[in-house]
Amino acid sequence: MNMPLLPVMSSPPLTRQSSRAGSLDGNPMIVMKFGGSSLAGAAHLRRVAGIVHSRMSERPIVVLSAMGKTTNELIAAAERAQSSGEVDISKVRSLTEGVLKELDVPVPAEVEGLLQELERIISGISLLREVSGRTRDWVVSFGERLSVRTFTAWYNVFLQSHEPCADRRVPARALDSWQVGMLTSSGAGSTNSTFSQVEILPETYEAISEYMSSLELEYSYVPVVTGYIAKDGNGTITTLGRDGSDLTATIIGAAISAKEVQIWKDVDGVLTTDPRVVKEARLLTVLTFEEAAELTVFGATVVHPAAVMPAWLAGVPITVRNSMVPHLPGTRIVSEMSEDDVKERGSRVAAMSSKRGITMVVIRSTRMLGQHGFLAHVFNVFKKFELSVDVIATSEVTISLTLDISFKPLDLTGLCAELGTVATVEINQSMSMLTLITAKKTSCGVLREAFKLFEEIDAQVEMVSHGASNVNVTFVLPDAILVECTRKLHKAFFET
């Protein structure tokens, strides 16, 4: 049984269609999200400005991550202040001011004001020698806030030399996401995990729709919105987890019924598997939302795992594209594939993904035989320890399941002690999950062939999940054989 977790859940209002946003004057809007690698330097900002300007007829809403490694530098600055009392934001300042200097753009007053505010916060950390989750969110928020203001300053200079017709010079405007309506529950995010502890509140969708409706009568500016960050009802800054800008983009796209959400990265799109493991991995032209959701939850990192859901529920297509080669079509993620899409795919397996560092827990108890309530007791223990289960299999006397330590550190000692009162517990660490995206009607043949290949290389598979999902088969196996198994299966399903 697969139990994918999307902690930052969103529920777009599907019962109504926005009459003011999404199709302004019969011209649907698009949302364009650019990640940090697409904003890493002056040359990158020049390229992104050209991409945005080339799509002005589609009335873009731009969502930006922090530039390059800014988030890492912000975290490092906070940690130095906490550990040694050092107050140093020079790397963040140098990156921001250096990009503007190379673009020949004066440092905007807003940018300088943010840099000074950041320095004051780091000074406060150095005095207290403490960084709470709330303060950490506040510190890392400066990455996106500086990014949108830096890009906006450059775009408005770029516009003067690239648009000869003054009537078509639509300037950009930097906006913090809470200005357009992004609202979350209270709680600290996570700077080292894809997932966040906060949730997007339902009223976000109505607020964003209302804000963007001001562009209906006249598309008078290009909104450039901070990704990854939001505010709660108390006005406290919150974060959406690493790469959470994807989620910001799809929430905005769902709120306005956008024509499309474009996720611009430094890769050509979604590939059949990780190209660092299999150099023969090839581009997928189309995926369904269900397939994309399974891929992201079970290891693929091209799209933020929680970001698929808002677009899926609202029926807004996503396209993953490469900002370095913007003419390439990328990968489309849609509700349903056409017959031509199915024929073009060819293979019974659409794609493969994997996750390392999985912990497998095997719980055995003769008390389980013929008894009710045992599973409920086990899951109450997992609830107590706030642990997320990915894959689970049960027999008459055994429960086997996997836990992902990347979401939250595990208290294995406490967990074993609690479960040990009713069962014996075996912990297997350094495990991996290898997931094949395949339709249920073809999964039996895929399973048969996969196990034949595993047998050829004497691979020991500890657990199999099949049937809980309409589109995936997952194998749990030791980390040590993951690469060999991945290459073997990719060659069989995609290369021959």
Side-chain angles (χ1 to χ4, degrees):
M1 172 179 171
N2 295 85
M3 301 181 66
L5 176 67
L6 298 176
V8 188
M9 294 302 294
S10 308
S11 301
L14 303 181
T15 56
R16 66 171 183 84
Q17 293 293 323
S18 174
S19 60
R20 293 176 295 181
S23 183
L24 308 181
D25 300 331
N27 188 3
M29 301 180 77
I30 62 172
V31 180
M32 307 177 72
K33 176 264 176 179
F34 294 89
S37 59
S38 297
L39 304 164
H44 298 75
L45 264 65
R46 289 190 181 98
R47 188 181 301 112
V48 169
I51 294 170
V52 172
H53 188 254
S54 70
R55 286 159 175 79
M56 288 303 294
S57 63
E58 298 175 280
R59 302 187 177 194
I61 298 169
V62 180
V63 175
L64 300 184
S65 298
M67 294 187 296
K69 300 295 183 182
T70 305
T71 300
N72 292 340
E73 297 297 344
L74 288 164
I75 295 170
E79 290 176 345
R80 286 194 300 270
Q82 180 185 22
S83 62
S84 66
E86 180 183 2
V87 179
D88 180 13
I89 65 163
S90 59
K91 289 186 178 179
V92 176
R93 179 179 285 276
S94 176
L95 191 155
T96 304
E97 294 180 346
V99 166
L100 287 166
K101 182 178 180 179
E102 190 172 343
L103 293 169
D104 198 23
V105 177
V107 177
E110 272 194 293
V111 169
E112 179 57 36
L114 285 173
L115 290 169
Q116 292 178 8
E117 181 185 352
L118 172 62
E119 191 161 23
R120 288 195 295 271
I121 295 169
I122 298 298
S123 296
I125 293 172
S126 74
L127 291 172
L128 296 174
R129 296 295 180 91
E130 180 182 347
V131 184
S132 65
R134 175 177 169 177
T135 301
R136 186 176 287 106
D137 282 352
W138 191 7
V139 169
V140 299
S141 75
F142 283 87
E144 279 69 23
R145 294 158 72 190
L146 288 167
S147 179
V148 298
R149 288 159 176 84
T150 300
F151 176 79
T152 297
W154 158 242
Y155 184 82
N156 290 336
V157 170
F158 162 91
L159 200 62
Q160 299 305 311
S161 59
H162 285 77
E163 184 50 74
C165 178
D167 292 340
R168 295 180 57 191
R169 286 179 182 162
V170 181
R173 180 183 298 178
L175 297 166
D176 293 318
S177 66
W178 47 84
Q179 291 179 261
V180 306
M182 284 287 291
L183 187 65
T184 72
S185 59
S186 299
S190 175
T191 57
N192 60 1
S193 170
T194 301
F195 299 107
S196 174
Q197 297 297 317
V198 301
E199 295 183 359
I200 304 298
L201 298 184
E203 51 264 43
T204 290
Y205 295 93
E206 182 66 37
I208 292 173
S209 176
E210 185 67 27
Y211 184 92
M212 294 301 175
S213 69
S214 63
L215 298 175
E216 179 178 3
L217 297 177
E218 182 183 6
Y219 185 75
S220 56
Y221 62 92
V222 181
V224 183
V225 184
T226 55
Y228 174 62
I229 61 177
K231 278 187 176 180
D232 65 13
N234 299 317
T236 301
I237 293 175
T238 57
T239 59
L240 307 181
R242 285 278 187 172
D243 299 317
S245 298
D246 291 359
L247 180 58
T248 305
T250 58
I251 287 170
I252 293 174
I256 67 168
S257 301
K259 174 185 176 183
E260 182 179 66
V261 173
Q262 298 175 354
I263 307 293
W264 291 86
K265 305 177 78 72
D266 60 355
V267 295
D268 292 344
V270 182
L271 303 184
T272 49
T273 195
D274 188 340
R276 294 169 297 183
V277 176
V278 181
K279 67 179 185 299
E280 294 82 6
R282 59 181 175 83
L283 179 69
L284 294 168
T285 57
V286 63
L287 284 169
T288 66
F289 283 116
E290 187 173 13
E291 291 171 336
E294 295 286 343
L295 273 175
T296 56
V297 168
F298 288 96
T301 58
V302 176
V303 181
H304 187 285
V308 177
M309 193 61 68
W312 187 0
L313 293 174
V316 175
I318 299 174
T319 304
V320 181
R321 305 184 68 168
N322 192 339
S323 62
M324 305 300 177
V325 278
H327 64 277
L328 294 180
T331 301
R332 292 180 296 117
I333 304 175
V334 297
S335 297
E336 293 184 9
M337 291 197 300
S338 67
E339 290 185 10
D340 289 340
D341 290 332
V342 174
K343 290 178 181 178
E344 182 179 349
R345 174 177 290 180
S347 174
R348 290 168 295 164
V349 178
M352 302 166 56
S353 65
S354 61
K355 282 203 291 189
R356 287 183 175 275
I358 299 299
T359 297
M360 180 176 170
V361 182
V362 181
I363 306 163
R364 294 187 178 91
S365 177
T366 54
R367 299 184 192 184
M368 186 176 175
L369 187 61
Q371 296 295 316
H372 69 275
F374 183 79
L375 274 174
H377 175 77
V378 169
F379 278 98
N380 278 333
V381 173
F382 280 91
K383 181 179 179 181
K384 175 182 176 179
F385 284 84
E386 298 181 346
L387 298 177
S388 169
V389 176
D390 280 327
V391 177
I392 180 171
T394 65
S395 70
E396 287 296 320
V397 295
T398 304
I399 304 170
S400 298
L401 50 84
T402 63
L403 305 171
D404 185 357
I405 62 173
S406 68
F407 173 57
K408 184 178 180 180
L410 307 182
D411 179 8
L412 291 176
T413 302
L415 178 69
C416 290
E418 189 88 15
L419 292 172
T421 61
V422 295
T424 60
V425 183
E426 177 186 334
I427 303 294
N428 297 315
Q429 294 181 291
S430 299
M431 304 295 289
S432 292
M433 292 193 303
L434 177 57
T435 296
L436 308 184
I437 301 301
T438 182
K440 188 171 286 187
K441 65 182 179 181
T442 60
S443 61
C444 288
V446 169
L447 275 166
R448 182 173 59 250
E449 188 165 349
F451 274 107
K452 181 180 178 181
L453 294 168
F454 290 146
E455 186 178 17
E456 289 177 3
I457 59 175
D458 196 26
Q460 182 179 352
V461 178
E462 299 291 341
M463 194 192 327
V464 180
S465 174
H466 171 238
S469 166
N470 289 323
V471 297
N472 100 33
V473 173
T474 296
F475 305 98
V476 179
L477 37 78
D479 278 344
I481 61 173
L482 175 63
V483 170
E484 185 179 8
C485 290
T486 301
R487 290 172 177 169
K488 190 81 172 178
L489 266 59
H490 191 276
K491 184 174 183 179
F493 291 119
F494 297 102
E495 300 170 41
T496 55

